[in-house]
Amino acid sequence: MDLTLQWPTPLAPGVGVTRARVEYRLDGVQLELDAVDCDDVPFERGDPARTFPSWRLKRHHDGYHWMGALGSSIGFESLTERGCLIELDRTPGVVAVASQPMWIRWVTPDGLREHYPDYFVRLDDGTAVLMDVKPAARIDDDVRAQFDMTGQFAAERGWRYVVYDAESQIREANLRFLAPFRGSASTEELPGLPEDGLPLAEAAALLGVGSEGYARCYAHLWSGLLETDLEEALSTKSIVWERRA
């Protein structure tokens, strides 16, 4: 996942916004601040600002996803959010993720507007990334306006604001298959592959004998050292190539 690809926030500040407040939970304590005072709050350490609602015949899928890179389980409220967490788990530089990190409340001439972003991500260089998750097909004008306000809020804090709008069951299934092999990578230098790649079975044979070679190949696909088209169902015939700059 490229966390530098930010939501295209309008250059002009939010029209009519007179004040913004942020509510969050840290170390079990409910807190509230003016937005101008929350820039350095460690939201990645916070508890969820809200719980996932539940009702009879609920269609959304919520739960917790184990992120091996962080050694912790992070909540999700939909399968798209789970897909986002899987992508974050293999994104270099991610050191912390918090679910439902805050409520943002804006005071406008038309009344109170509020929003709870889906995730707060901290990178190893200290960069903060605020994230929302919404399939592209469901981003209508109202959602876009909400994201514009949230993007402006993040920009004022010096944070990035990223919207994850992908929804691919095949890609997610491939990554869920690859994830358990993350610890099987060899420290040996990768053997050179042809520029146009090799079938996965042949690449695995270069990395080890039998299942060991496959495990190493899967580990490198998870880490991104090796690449393939994850939008297609993974098989021994999938073409694999070395990561391209």
Side-chain angles (χ1 to χ4, degrees):
M1 179 186 293
D2 189 345
L3 294 177
T4 66
L5 295 178
Q6 300 189 66
W7 179 260
T9 304
L11 296 178
V15 177
V17 174
T18 59
R19 187 185 182 192
R21 299 277 290 175
V22 176
E23 184 178 322
Y24 62 101
R25 290 182 61 82
L26 186 62
D27 298 328
V29 180
Q30 193 81 8
L31 300 165
E32 187 172 352
L33 291 173
D34 281 326
V36 295
D37 297 321
C38 77
D39 301 13
D40 298 322
V41 172
F43 289 103
E44 70 275 15
R45 289 179 34 222
D47 302 317
R50 62 184 283 274
T51 58
F52 298 142
S54 180
W55 59 90
R56 188 171 178 269
L57 302 180
K58 181 179 178 181
R59 293 185 179 182
H60 295 290
H61 296 78
D62 56 54
Y64 289 86
H65 175 73
W66 174 258
M67 297 186 69
L70 306 182
S72 61
S73 295
I74 307 297
F76 62 85
E77 197 173 11
S78 68
L79 294 182
T80 308
E81 287 188 11
R82 184 180 67 179
C84 176
L85 291 175
I86 291 172
E87 295 284 2
L88 285 172
D89 198 18
R90 63 193 295 263
T91 299
V94 172
V95 296
V97 178
S99 171
Q100 313 293 316
M102 67 188 77
W103 279 98
I104 308 171
R105 294 184 172 92
W106 294 271
V107 177
T108 75
D110 297 325
L112 184 68
R113 294 195 62 173
E114 56 186 16
H115 178 56
Y116 49 89
D118 293 310
Y119 296 107
F120 184 91
V121 179
R122 184 70 71 180
L123 303 184
D124 56 6
D125 63 359
T127 298
V129 184
L130 198 60
M131 294 192 68
D132 272 306
V133 178
K134 181 77 71 172
R138 295 180 56 198
I139 299 178
D140 56 21
D141 290 343
D142 288 341
V143 172
R144 191 171 290 107
Q146 184 69 79
F147 287 175
D148 286 345
M149 292 182 70
T150 309
Q152 184 64 42
F153 167 87
E156 291 169 354
R157 315 274 79 73
W159 304 344
R160 297 177 189 170
Y161 179 56
V162 175
V163 174
Y164 178 81
D165 61 3
E167 192 172 37
S168 171
Q169 294 182 359
I170 293 177
R171 180 181 178 87
E172 182 181 337
N174 285 333
L175 291 177
R176 291 179 68 193
F177 170 78
L178 294 173
F181 295 95
R182 71 172 77 233
S184 300
S186 170
T187 57
E188 299 176 6
E189 186 175 347
L190 285 175
L193 300 184
E195 187 173 339
D196 56 353
L198 286 174
L200 189 150
E202 295 182 28
L206 295 176
L207 293 167
V209 178
S211 60
E212 181 181 72
Y214 277 99
R216 289 177 177 174
C217 186
Y218 295 150
H220 291 317
L221 285 170
W222 170 262
S223 72
L225 287 177
L226 293 178
E227 297 181 338
T228 189
D229 184 0
L230 292 172
E231 298 295 340
E232 298 290 337
L234 198 62
S235 75
T236 57
K237 297 180 181 179
S238 298
I239 300 300
V240 173
W241 58 87
E242 292 183 60
R243 179 167 56 197
R244 293 163 183 163

